[in-house]
Amino acid sequence: MPVPETNTNHLAKLLFQVPEPAARQELLHTAQLCLIDYLAAVIAAQDEAAVLNLKQTFASTSFALPALGYQVPLSSDHLALLNGFAAHYLDIDDTNTNLQGHPSGVIFSALLAISDGTESLENLLWAQVMGVELAGQFGHLLNPQLSLRGIHTTGAIGTIAAAAAIAVYKKMSIEATEMLLSIAATQATALEIQVGTDGKPLNAGFAARNAVTAWLCIQAGLHAAPDPFIEDRGWFAALGNYPFNATDLDATWLKPGQIHQPGIWFKTQPFCSEAMSGYAAAQKLHQLGIDMPHCAQITINFPSSVSDALRFDHPQNGQEGKFSIEYVVWLTLNYGVLPTTAFHKGPVPTDFIKDLPKFSRNPMREIPDPTTRPTALTVLTTTGKTLTVRVANPLGSPNNPLSQQDLLAKLLAQLPPYAGATVVNFFHQPIGQQILADLGVLLTKLNNKNLI
Amino acid sequence: MPVPETNTNHLAKLLFQVPEPAARQELLHTAQLCLIDYLAAVIAAQDEAAVLNLKQTFASTSFALPALGYQVPLSSDHLALLNGFAAHYLDIDDTNTNLQGHPSGVIFSALLAISDGTESLENLLWAQVMGVELAGQFGHLLNPQLSLRGIHTTGAIGTIAAAAAIAVYKKMSIEATEMLLSIAATQATALEIQVGTDGKPLNAGFAARNAVTAWLCIQAGLHAAPDPFIEDRGWFAALGNYPFNATDLDATWLKPGQIHQPGIWFKTQPFCSEAMSGYAAAQKLHQLGIDMPHCAQITINFPSSVSDALRFDHPQNGQEGKFSIEYVVWLTLNYGVLPTTAFHKGPVPTDFIKDLPKFSRNPMREIPDPTTRPTALTVLTTTGKTLTVRVANPLGSPNNPLSQQDLLAKLLAQLPPYAGATVVNFFHQPIGQQILADLGVLLTKLNNKNLI
């Protein structure tokens, strides 16, 4: 079966199309003129203060807080990219329903990348609160339209949210904050079609990088349009086609805070948070003794109008399976406990493909309360019985939260045994008494593997 | 007079708003949970091949081709950003009317940043031809709508064009090209409101950086959505709201090539190319003996529907003056030859402010042939005479082009005298006989100042 030609495939072929030699030579000649002109332009600007400052800033960026697997000095924007990519790679980082995306994976990656260890834990956390606030508020205004049109809000809004967090963290002036947000907003986009590929965690990494780069540009003394969110042709108009007015945020800003309402969904499993209720419902069925061989039909009723995140009803590999409610339910009904390799890049099991015809979707049109995600599984068994299990508040969701102890257990499971006591001790101290140098020591301890 | 509060100003203040202590503590506690969860997510992904590969790729990126003012090794993405910023900083880099932006400043910055010197000049130039092709073709489809909605096409389309040029330059497979374009497209945006600030050249730098980063991600073996330009929720839909079909490009692709038709506008002066005809018309008036003290009224008739690039009818400083046709005409009528400091960051002359009431705009609604930009100046003199001078093809435009000799003169003017012969010799050799190592030697010679 020939693979159908896509737009990009077609375009890529056009790129490699070669004209007649004479035409080619003429084109090359003009390109050479462009090169001469380019060199003139670059060299002409070498003495400009802005260019010198930016050059100096990039050349001297160094990373002082030892963190997360890097022994060689990395520039702070690279570090933000890499940690943002890693934080979102398995899709077990937290989410906020208004953002329809992953705030902490982006925000902390940016903040830690520009830390030297002298900062207080309290300031780090407060900056994250404010980053989440902006992320959730913007998401509430723009979703689901932005997401449905194809923008990945984790990357797009995440860039601006991480920049806002940096402003708070570094206690920047209002004027500098405006410039920072402006340089962030001019970079702030991401495509949602990357779901199910490395492009999705890259979007998180790019968002963290973009925020850090904006901060480096401010350090270099650069200036930018002071009102990137102006209604006429600002970021909201250009990307969201939305008539933004910041005073509309007054009524809800920090009342009580996006981090509390609609809150944060913490994950116990590495798949899309929109499948968490389906997973919990399948777990209940499994506990009732229902497993895949007993199922003749499975109908999944879940909110489909919120986003298209669970887009893979026929996932080909584990990475796509993270965004397939059928795959999550199938795994749970088969195994109870999810296999650790279930969401890797390899192909999905052939048994799953065989069972797929048993599944059907019954989409729910209404948009649920953002603190819940109702999902019902209706099973017709091979003996002709019908059972329905419905879950709206799965473990890890705002109304059924993970405790600090649960989350420490999630972290400790990733660490060598000797690091456990240090980590628990760090997070049991009062927040106000901790500085990031302690986190630095902690992180160094965590980094005994994969150092580069 | 109090400065009116802007959206961003308002938002920045919200960011620094602090709630009651108890509420703040609760927010911080939840933020701490997020931090624990974040660390678990990052560390959990440390062993993943994709994370390890990306880490290794960033850590080992080094820059081998000596270029443009950098002695310390810079990573290739930083180098692309810095050279893209410098190339567009003075706004004397070339433009293409379909793109409504600056192709070479972005594309060459990306290509040179990933060169090690072994590449041939011919391949570099061909890659640029194809990058310009994509830039102009995309611009033709999306402009003026994209530009008028607030997207800066140099940055947005430029990212994808530079990535396309990289694919051609590195002779990548079709499949790898698709992935490269995908990782570029997911980063491809920029705000046009940055005009008149450092944000505008930053958009060019970010575009070059984004393309190079996409290339680094491909080197790291990452994969991405293979069809970023798919009609449903791909880049064209998400940013341009445009129903893209790549086969529509077949009829015009390289026939004769965007670099020839509508062609490239080369600049002799560091202001927006849309003011080039107005500048030429003012020069003619000045040669006829008309200068500012002779003028009672000046009406400027120029195409306004193409973009809003000449948006400053009351520029405050020289950087905004680059995008003010009034300022360019005023300078020319006053001085004939433009002062070198005219477009610096400092405030515009008070005499200009005094003369501003003499100017009025008479916008032309029709969109002109993209190879021309008709602009007419009508002057009412203090003695009651009326003169009109109209220019459509100013020096440097496709129908009145700069020669290779003119462009070499533009480059030589930026160089110390001893470098001249080497440069002229390099560009007088047949294109097919040159390799970039020679350009490397050349560039090293150019870099005797501002090394870092």
Side-chain angles (χ1 to χ4, degrees), chain A residues 8-10 15 30 37 47 77-78 109 130 178 227 233 250 260 311 410 450, chain B residues 8-10 15 30 37-38 47 77-78 109 130 178 227 233 250 260 311 410 450:
Chain A
T8 310
N9 186 273
H10 187 86
L15 287 176
T30 307
D37 194 63
D47 280 336
D77 59 332
H78 287 171
S109 295
M130 298 305 276
E178 291 171 0
D227 190 9
R233 315 209 310 169
D250 293 357
H260 283 163
R311 80 177 48 170
K410 179 177 169 182
N450 297 333
Chain B
T8 309
N9 188 272
H10 187 86
L15 287 176
T30 307
D37 194 63
Y38 167 81
D47 279 337
D77 60 332
H78 288 173
S109 296
M130 298 305 275
E178 291 171 1
D227 190 9
R233 317 210 306 168
D250 293 359
H260 283 164
R311 77 177 51 171
K410 179 176 168 182
N450 297 331

mmCIF file of all heavy atoms in Angstrom, chain A residues 8-10 15 30 37 47 77-78 109 130 178 227 233 250 260 311 410 450, chain B residues 8-10 15 30 37-38 47 77-78 109 130 178 227 233 250 260 311 410 450:
data_model
loop_
_atom_site.group_PDB
_atom_site.id
_atom_site.type_symbol
_atom_site.label_atom_id
_atom_site.label_comp_id
_atom_site.label_asym_id
_atom_site.label_seq_id
_atom_site.Cartn_x
_atom_site.Cartn_y
_atom_site.Cartn_z
ATOM 1 N N THR A 8 3.357 18.063 3.629
ATOM 2 C CA THR A 8 4.766 18.263 3.957
ATOM 3 C C THR A 8 5.663 17.416 3.082
ATOM 4 O O THR A 8 6.738 17.855 2.647
ATOM 5 C CB THR A 8 5.017 17.916 5.427
ATOM 6 O OG1 THR A 8 4.048 18.607 6.206
ATOM 7 C CG2 THR A 8 6.399 18.341 5.845
ATOM 8 N N ASN A 9 5.192 16.210 2.849
ATOM 9 C CA ASN A 9 5.931 15.331 1.960
ATOM 10 C C ASN A 9 6.079 15.979 0.594
ATOM 11 O O ASN A 9 7.163 16.013 -0.008
ATOM 12 C CB ASN A 9 5.138 14.021 1.858
ATOM 13 C CG ASN A 9 5.883 12.974 1.084
ATOM 14 O OD1 ASN A 9 5.780 12.937 -0.129
ATOM 15 N ND2 ASN A 9 6.656 12.160 1.771
ATOM 16 N N HIS A 10 4.979 16.535 0.133
ATOM 17 C CA HIS A 10 4.993 17.208 -1.169
ATOM 18 C C HIS A 10 5.958 18.392 -1.161
ATOM 19 O O HIS A 10 6.758 18.591 -2.078
ATOM 20 C CB HIS A 10 3.578 17.676 -1.493
ATOM 21 C CG HIS A 10 3.445 18.236 -2.863
ATOM 22 N ND1 HIS A 10 3.207 17.447 -3.972
ATOM 23 C CD2 HIS A 10 3.549 19.504 -3.317
ATOM 24 C CE1 HIS A 10 3.156 18.214 -5.045
ATOM 25 N NE2 HIS A 10 3.360 19.464 -4.674
ATOM 26 N N LEU A 15 11.335 20.978 -2.336
ATOM 27 C CA LEU A 15 12.599 21.549 -1.875
ATOM 28 C C LEU A 15 13.793 20.945 -2.599
ATOM 29 O O LEU A 15 14.836 21.592 -2.737
ATOM 30 C CB LEU A 15 12.772 21.322 -0.374
ATOM 31 C CG LEU A 15 11.905 22.170 0.545
ATOM 32 C CD1 LEU A 15 12.127 21.749 1.977
ATOM 33 C CD2 LEU A 15 12.225 23.644 0.352
ATOM 34 N N THR A 30 22.408 35.237 -7.954
ATOM 35 C CA THR A 30 21.664 36.180 -7.106
ATOM 36 C C THR A 30 21.843 35.841 -5.633
ATOM 37 O O THR A 30 21.967 36.722 -4.781
ATOM 38 C CB THR A 30 20.174 36.180 -7.485
ATOM 39 O OG1 THR A 30 20.069 36.409 -8.888
ATOM 40 C CG2 THR A 30 19.426 37.264 -6.746
ATOM 41 N N ASP A 37 25.602 40.851 0.595
ATOM 42 C CA ASP A 37 24.769 41.834 1.286
ATOM 43 C C ASP A 37 24.569 41.451 2.750
ATOM 44 O O ASP A 37 24.605 42.292 3.653
ATOM 45 C CB ASP A 37 23.424 41.926 0.556
ATOM 46 C CG ASP A 37 22.629 43.140 0.991
ATOM 47 O OD1 ASP A 37 23.115 44.268 0.756
ATOM 48 O OD2 ASP A 37 21.544 42.964 1.574
ATOM 49 N N ASP A 47 29.374 46.698 15.851
ATOM 50 C CA ASP A 47 29.719 47.699 16.869
ATOM 51 C C ASP A 47 28.508 48.205 17.647
ATOM 52 O O ASP A 47 28.673 48.990 18.590
ATOM 53 C CB ASP A 47 30.389 48.910 16.206
ATOM 54 C CG ASP A 47 31.855 48.634 15.929
ATOM 55 O OD1 ASP A 47 32.425 47.763 16.617
ATOM 56 O OD2 ASP A 47 32.412 49.289 15.028
ATOM 57 N N ASP A 77 19.606 28.678 28.758
ATOM 58 C CA ASP A 77 18.497 28.394 27.848
ATOM 59 C C ASP A 77 18.497 26.926 27.405
ATOM 60 O O ASP A 77 17.451 26.304 27.283
ATOM 61 C CB ASP A 77 18.491 29.348 26.642
ATOM 62 C CG ASP A 77 19.760 29.279 25.820
ATOM 63 O OD1 ASP A 77 20.834 28.956 26.375
ATOM 64 O OD2 ASP A 77 19.701 29.567 24.608
ATOM 65 N N HIS A 78 19.700 26.367 27.211
ATOM 66 C CA HIS A 78 19.764 24.940 26.877
ATOM 67 C C HIS A 78 19.269 24.086 28.043
ATOM 68 O O HIS A 78 18.578 23.087 27.854
ATOM 69 C CB HIS A 78 21.199 24.530 26.542
ATOM 70 C CG HIS A 78 21.669 25.035 25.218
ATOM 71 N ND1 HIS A 78 22.965 24.931 24.804
ATOM 72 C CD2 HIS A 78 21.012 25.648 24.206
ATOM 73 C CE1 HIS A 78 23.087 25.465 23.603
ATOM 74 N NE2 HIS A 78 21.916 25.906 23.227
ATOM 75 N N SER A 109 11.293 24.400 35.021
ATOM 76 C CA SER A 109 12.473 24.219 34.159
ATOM 77 C C SER A 109 13.122 25.563 33.851
ATOM 78 O O SER A 109 14.348 25.686 33.811
ATOM 79 C CB SER A 109 12.087 23.505 32.866
ATOM 80 O OG SER A 109 11.639 22.198 33.147
ATOM 81 N N MET A 130 2.563 32.160 40.624
ATOM 82 C CA MET A 130 2.150 33.242 39.721
ATOM 83 C C MET A 130 2.217 32.806 38.251
ATOM 84 O O MET A 130 1.392 33.225 37.438
ATOM 85 C CB MET A 130 3.010 34.480 39.961
ATOM 86 C CG MET A 130 2.866 35.035 41.363
ATOM 87 S SD MET A 130 1.136 35.410 41.815
ATOM 88 C CE MET A 130 0.987 37.031 41.119
ATOM 89 N N GLU A 178 7.350 44.066 31.596
ATOM 90 C CA GLU A 178 6.653 44.264 30.318
ATOM 91 C C GLU A 178 7.530 43.838 29.143
ATOM 92 O O GLU A 178 7.081 43.168 28.210
ATOM 93 C CB GLU A 178 6.247 45.728 30.164
ATOM 94 C CG GLU A 178 5.157 46.167 31.122
ATOM 95 C CD GLU A 178 4.927 47.673 31.104
ATOM 96 O OE1 GLU A 178 5.609 48.384 30.341
ATOM 97 O OE2 GLU A 178 4.065 48.118 31.866
ATOM 98 N N ASP A 227 3.824 46.707 25.038
ATOM 99 C CA ASP A 227 2.491 46.135 25.281
ATOM 100 C C ASP A 227 2.195 44.975 24.328
ATOM 101 O O ASP A 227 1.417 45.098 23.387
ATOM 102 C CB ASP A 227 1.413 47.218 25.147
ATOM 103 C CG ASP A 227 0.052 46.722 25.625
ATOM 104 O OD1 ASP A 227 -0.012 45.625 26.214
ATOM 105 O OD2 ASP A 227 -0.941 47.433 25.411
ATOM 106 N N ARG A 233 -3.501 43.741 17.154
ATOM 107 C CA ARG A 233 -2.334 43.045 16.634
ATOM 108 C C ARG A 233 -1.336 42.590 17.694
ATOM 109 O O ARG A 233 -0.188 42.278 17.381
ATOM 110 C CB ARG A 233 -1.611 43.887 15.566
ATOM 111 C CG ARG A 233 -2.595 44.511 14.570
ATOM 112 C CD ARG A 233 -2.025 44.733 13.229
ATOM 113 N NE ARG A 233 -0.769 45.410 13.237
ATOM 114 C CZ ARG A 233 0.002 45.521 12.183
ATOM 115 N NH1 ARG A 233 -0.372 45.003 11.034
ATOM 116 N NH2 ARG A 233 1.141 46.159 12.249
ATOM 117 N N ASP A 250 -9.176 40.846 36.794
ATOM 118 C CA ASP A 250 -9.207 41.303 38.190
ATOM 119 C C ASP A 250 -10.124 40.467 39.072
ATOM 120 O O ASP A 250 -9.800 40.160 40.221
ATOM 121 C CB ASP A 250 -9.674 42.759 38.260
ATOM 122 C CG ASP A 250 -8.664 43.698 37.631
ATOM 123 O OD1 ASP A 250 -7.603 43.213 37.198
ATOM 124 O OD2 ASP A 250 -8.948 44.910 37.567
ATOM 125 N N HIS A 260 -5.178 26.419 42.978
ATOM 126 C CA HIS A 260 -6.184 25.773 43.829
ATOM 127 C C HIS A 260 -7.518 25.566 43.130
ATOM 128 O O HIS A 260 -8.249 24.633 43.440
ATOM 129 C CB HIS A 260 -6.409 26.610 45.099
ATOM 130 C CG HIS A 260 -5.323 26.434 46.104
ATOM 131 N ND1 HIS A 260 -5.108 27.285 47.148
ATOM 132 C CD2 HIS A 260 -4.349 25.477 46.198
ATOM 133 C CE1 HIS A 260 -4.065 26.872 47.857
ATOM 134 N NE2 HIS A 260 -3.583 25.786 47.291
ATOM 135 N N ARG A 311 -6.769 11.740 20.968
ATOM 136 C CA ARG A 311 -7.139 11.646 19.559
ATOM 137 C C ARG A 311 -6.889 10.288 18.920
ATOM 138 O O ARG A 311 -7.359 10.021 17.834
ATOM 139 C CB ARG A 311 -6.405 12.709 18.768
ATOM 140 C CG ARG A 311 -4.973 12.340 18.443
ATOM 141 C CD ARG A 311 -4.383 13.413 17.607
ATOM 142 N NE ARG A 311 -4.716 14.686 18.277
ATOM 143 C CZ ARG A 311 -4.203 15.847 17.936
ATOM 144 N NH1 ARG A 311 -3.393 15.906 16.929
ATOM 145 N NH2 ARG A 311 -4.506 16.938 18.590
ATOM 146 N N LYS A 410 6.265 9.182 44.966
ATOM 147 C CA LYS A 410 6.465 9.214 43.504
ATOM 148 C C LYS A 410 7.894 9.622 43.172
ATOM 149 O O LYS A 410 8.535 9.053 42.276
ATOM 150 C CB LYS A 410 5.456 10.189 42.881
ATOM 151 C CG LYS A 410 5.533 10.368 41.367
ATOM 152 C CD LYS A 410 4.418 11.305 40.860
ATOM 153 C CE LYS A 410 4.637 11.723 39.404
ATOM 154 N NZ LYS A 410 3.592 12.664 38.917
ATOM 155 N N ASN A 450 24.062 9.169 34.464
ATOM 156 C CA ASN A 450 23.813 9.905 33.226
ATOM 157 C C ASN A 450 24.425 11.298 33.196
ATOM 158 O O ASN A 450 23.937 12.183 32.521
ATOM 159 C CB ASN A 450 22.326 10.048 32.945
ATOM 160 C CG ASN A 450 21.685 8.703 32.728
ATOM 161 O OD1 ASN A 450 22.360 7.775 32.306
ATOM 162 N ND2 ASN A 450 20.425 8.606 33.014
ATOM 163 N N THR B 8 -0.494 45.132 29.284
ATOM 164 C CA THR B 8 0.668 44.446 29.839
ATOM 165 C C THR B 8 1.077 45.050 31.163
ATOM 166 O O THR B 8 1.469 44.348 32.100
ATOM 167 C CB THR B 8 1.838 44.522 28.854
ATOM 168 O OG1 THR B 8 1.368 44.089 27.589
ATOM 169 C CG2 THR B 8 2.970 43.637 29.303
ATOM 170 N N ASN B 9 0.982 46.370 31.215
ATOM 171 C CA ASN B 9 1.265 47.056 32.466
ATOM 172 C C ASN B 9 0.345 46.532 33.560
ATOM 173 O O ASN B 9 0.769 46.221 34.680
ATOM 174 C CB ASN B 9 1.045 48.548 32.225
ATOM 175 C CG ASN B 9 1.481 49.375 33.393
ATOM 176 O OD1 ASN B 9 0.699 49.593 34.298
ATOM 177 N ND2 ASN B 9 2.721 49.807 33.379
ATOM 178 N N HIS B 10 -0.912 46.430 33.206
ATOM 179 C CA HIS B 10 -1.896 45.942 34.166
ATOM 180 C C HIS B 10 -1.566 44.510 34.592
ATOM 181 O O HIS B 10 -1.593 44.161 35.779
ATOM 182 C CB HIS B 10 -3.286 46.001 33.522
ATOM 183 C CG HIS B 10 -4.375 45.673 34.474
ATOM 184 N ND1 HIS B 10 -4.948 46.605 35.302
ATOM 185 C CD2 HIS B 10 -4.975 44.488 34.752
ATOM 186 C CE1 HIS B 10 -5.868 46.020 36.053
ATOM 187 N NE2 HIS B 10 -5.912 44.740 35.735
ATOM 188 N N LEU B 15 0.834 40.482 38.464
ATOM 189 C CA LEU B 15 1.849 39.478 38.796
ATOM 190 C C LEU B 15 2.489 39.737 40.152
ATOM 191 O O LEU B 15 2.959 38.817 40.808
ATOM 192 C CB LEU B 15 2.951 39.464 37.730
ATOM 193 C CG LEU B 15 2.591 38.855 36.399
ATOM 194 C CD1 LEU B 15 3.752 39.020 35.440
ATOM 195 C CD2 LEU B 15 2.243 37.392 36.565
ATOM 196 N N THR B 30 0.983 24.122 47.953
ATOM 197 C CA THR B 30 0.631 23.381 46.730
ATOM 198 C C THR B 30 1.755 23.488 45.701
ATOM 199 O O THR B 30 2.061 22.533 44.988
ATOM 200 C CB THR B 30 -0.696 23.903 46.151
ATOM 201 O OG1 THR B 30 -1.678 23.871 47.174
ATOM 202 C CG2 THR B 30 -1.156 23.034 44.992
ATOM 203 N N ASP B 37 6.637 16.872 42.474
ATOM 204 C CA ASP B 37 6.121 16.134 41.322
ATOM 205 C C ASP B 37 6.979 16.400 40.079
ATOM 206 O O ASP B 37 7.271 15.486 39.298
ATOM 207 C CB ASP B 37 4.678 16.561 41.076
ATOM 208 C CG ASP B 37 3.961 15.624 40.132
ATOM 209 O OD1 ASP B 37 3.809 14.445 40.495
ATOM 210 O OD2 ASP B 37 3.568 16.066 39.042
ATOM 211 N N TYR B 38 7.400 17.646 39.939
ATOM 212 C CA TYR B 38 8.260 18.025 38.811
ATOM 213 C C TYR B 38 9.581 17.254 38.842
ATOM 214 O O TYR B 38 10.028 16.714 37.824
ATOM 215 C CB TYR B 38 8.524 19.532 38.870
ATOM 216 C CG TYR B 38 9.636 19.995 37.954
ATOM 217 C CD1 TYR B 38 9.401 20.216 36.606
ATOM 218 C CD2 TYR B 38 10.928 20.192 38.438
ATOM 219 C CE1 TYR B 38 10.417 20.632 35.759
ATOM 220 C CE2 TYR B 38 11.950 20.612 37.606
ATOM 221 C CZ TYR B 38 11.691 20.835 36.268
ATOM 222 O OH TYR B 38 12.696 21.238 35.437
ATOM 223 N N ASP B 47 16.688 8.440 32.017
ATOM 224 C CA ASP B 47 17.230 7.275 31.307
ATOM 225 C C ASP B 47 16.645 7.097 29.920
ATOM 226 O O ASP B 47 17.065 6.202 29.180
ATOM 227 C CB ASP B 47 16.935 5.998 32.101
ATOM 228 C CG ASP B 47 17.939 5.810 33.224
ATOM 229 O OD1 ASP B 47 19.051 6.365 33.122
ATOM 230 O OD2 ASP B 47 17.609 5.120 34.193
ATOM 231 N N ASP B 77 23.075 27.111 17.920
ATOM 232 C CA ASP B 77 21.796 27.833 18.017
ATOM 233 C C ASP B 77 22.010 29.258 18.518
ATOM 234 O O ASP B 77 21.361 30.197 18.066
ATOM 235 C CB ASP B 77 20.771 27.057 18.853
ATOM 236 C CG ASP B 77 21.223 26.808 20.280
ATOM 237 O OD1 ASP B 77 22.445 26.731 20.515
ATOM 238 O OD2 ASP B 77 20.362 26.676 21.165
ATOM 239 N N HIS B 78 22.945 29.423 19.461
ATOM 240 C CA HIS B 78 23.259 30.784 19.928
ATOM 241 C C HIS B 78 23.872 31.612 18.804
ATOM 242 O O HIS B 78 23.574 32.797 18.644
ATOM 243 C CB HIS B 78 24.237 30.738 21.102
ATOM 244 C CG HIS B 78 23.634 30.257 22.374
ATOM 245 N ND1 HIS B 78 24.361 30.013 23.497
ATOM 246 C CD2 HIS B 78 22.347 29.973 22.701
ATOM 247 C CE1 HIS B 78 23.569 29.591 24.467
ATOM 248 N NE2 HIS B 78 22.346 29.555 24.001
ATOM 249 N N SER B 109 22.115 33.113 8.460
ATOM 250 C CA SER B 109 22.523 32.984 9.868
ATOM 251 C C SER B 109 22.374 31.547 10.347
ATOM 252 O O SER B 109 23.216 31.046 11.103
ATOM 253 C CB SER B 109 21.689 33.928 10.744
ATOM 254 O OG SER B 109 21.956 35.267 10.391
ATOM 255 N N MET B 130 16.585 27.999 -2.096
ATOM 256 C CA MET B 130 15.394 27.222 -1.754
ATOM 257 C C MET B 130 14.703 27.776 -0.506
ATOM 258 O O MET B 130 13.473 27.741 -0.405
ATOM 259 C CB MET B 130 15.770 25.752 -1.559
ATOM 260 C CG MET B 130 16.327 25.122 -2.818
ATOM 261 S SD MET B 130 15.194 25.298 -4.240
ATOM 262 C CE MET B 130 14.153 23.879 -3.970
ATOM 263 N N GLU B 178 10.841 16.273 6.599
ATOM 264 C CA GLU B 178 9.507 16.455 7.185
ATOM 265 C C GLU B 178 9.587 16.714 8.677
ATOM 266 O O GLU B 178 8.920 17.603 9.217
ATOM 267 C CB GLU B 178 8.642 15.226 6.915
ATOM 268 C CG GLU B 178 8.273 15.057 5.450
ATOM 269 C CD GLU B 178 7.607 13.725 5.158
ATOM 270 O OE1 GLU B 178 7.411 12.935 6.099
ATOM 271 O OE2 GLU B 178 7.298 13.482 3.986
ATOM 272 N N ASP B 227 3.488 15.663 9.393
ATOM 273 C CA ASP B 227 2.839 16.593 8.464
ATOM 274 C C ASP B 227 2.422 17.888 9.173
ATOM 275 O O ASP B 227 1.242 18.106 9.451
ATOM 276 C CB ASP B 227 1.621 15.933 7.810
ATOM 277 C CG ASP B 227 1.056 16.774 6.670
ATOM 278 O OD1 ASP B 227 1.716 17.771 6.284
ATOM 279 O OD2 ASP B 227 -0.036 16.447 6.185
ATOM 280 N N ARG B 233 -5.650 21.660 11.597
ATOM 281 C CA ARG B 233 -4.879 21.994 12.785
ATOM 282 C C ARG B 233 -3.366 21.983 12.597
ATOM 283 O O ARG B 233 -2.612 21.948 13.565
ATOM 284 C CB ARG B 233 -5.258 21.083 13.972
ATOM 285 C CG ARG B 233 -6.787 20.891 14.078
ATOM 286 C CD ARG B 233 -7.248 20.682 15.480
ATOM 287 N NE ARG B 233 -6.558 19.612 16.143
ATOM 288 C CZ ARG B 233 -6.625 19.390 17.434
ATOM 289 N NH1 ARG B 233 -7.351 20.177 18.194
ATOM 290 N NH2 ARG B 233 -5.983 18.408 17.979
ATOM 291 N N ASP B 250 2.895 24.033 -7.075
ATOM 292 C CA ASP B 250 3.567 23.446 -8.237
ATOM 293 C C ASP B 250 3.689 24.423 -9.415
ATOM 294 O O ASP B 250 4.712 24.465 -10.100
ATOM 295 C CB ASP B 250 2.795 22.217 -8.736
ATOM 296 C CG ASP B 250 2.849 21.083 -7.725
ATOM 297 O OD1 ASP B 250 3.504 21.270 -6.680
ATOM 298 O OD2 ASP B 250 2.236 20.040 -7.994
ATOM 299 N N HIS B 260 14.174 35.621 -7.974
ATOM 300 C CA HIS B 260 14.155 36.448 -9.190
ATOM 301 C C HIS B 260 12.826 37.153 -9.404
ATOM 302 O O HIS B 260 12.775 38.218 -10.008
ATOM 303 C CB HIS B 260 14.483 35.591 -10.430
ATOM 304 C CG HIS B 260 15.938 35.306 -10.539
ATOM 305 N ND1 HIS B 260 16.452 34.333 -11.349
ATOM 306 C CD2 HIS B 260 17.003 35.874 -9.912
ATOM 307 C CE1 HIS B 260 17.765 34.313 -11.227
ATOM 308 N NE2 HIS B 260 18.128 35.233 -10.362
ATOM 309 N N ARG B 311 4.539 52.323 10.134
ATOM 310 C CA ARG B 311 3.450 52.677 11.041
ATOM 311 C C ARG B 311 3.683 53.935 11.849
ATOM 312 O O ARG B 311 2.766 54.459 12.453
ATOM 313 C CB ARG B 311 3.170 51.536 12.001
ATOM 314 C CG ARG B 311 4.171 51.417 13.136
ATOM 315 C CD ARG B 311 3.733 50.329 14.024
ATOM 316 N NE ARG B 311 3.481 49.165 13.158
ATOM 317 C CZ ARG B 311 3.242 47.954 13.599
ATOM 318 N NH1 ARG B 311 3.176 47.737 14.883
ATOM 319 N NH2 ARG B 311 3.082 46.957 12.755
ATOM 320 N N LYS B 410 29.319 47.895 -0.735
ATOM 321 C CA LYS B 410 28.572 47.970 0.535
ATOM 322 C C LYS B 410 29.279 47.159 1.608
ATOM 323 O O LYS B 410 29.393 47.588 2.761
ATOM 324 C CB LYS B 410 27.143 47.444 0.299
ATOM 325 C CG LYS B 410 26.236 47.421 1.522
ATOM 326 C CD LYS B 410 24.813 46.967 1.157
ATOM 327 C CE LYS B 410 23.967 46.659 2.392
ATOM 328 N NZ LYS B 410 22.607 46.176 2.067
ATOM 329 N N ASN B 450 35.987 43.343 18.257
ATOM 330 C CA ASN B 450 34.825 42.867 19.016
ATOM 331 C C ASN B 450 34.804 41.366 19.236
ATOM 332 O O ASN B 450 33.756 40.766 19.374
ATOM 333 C CB ASN B 450 33.516 43.260 18.313
ATOM 334 C CG ASN B 450 33.370 44.762 18.253
ATOM 335 O OD1 ASN B 450 33.885 45.455 19.116
ATOM 336 N ND2 ASN B 450 32.690 45.235 17.244
#
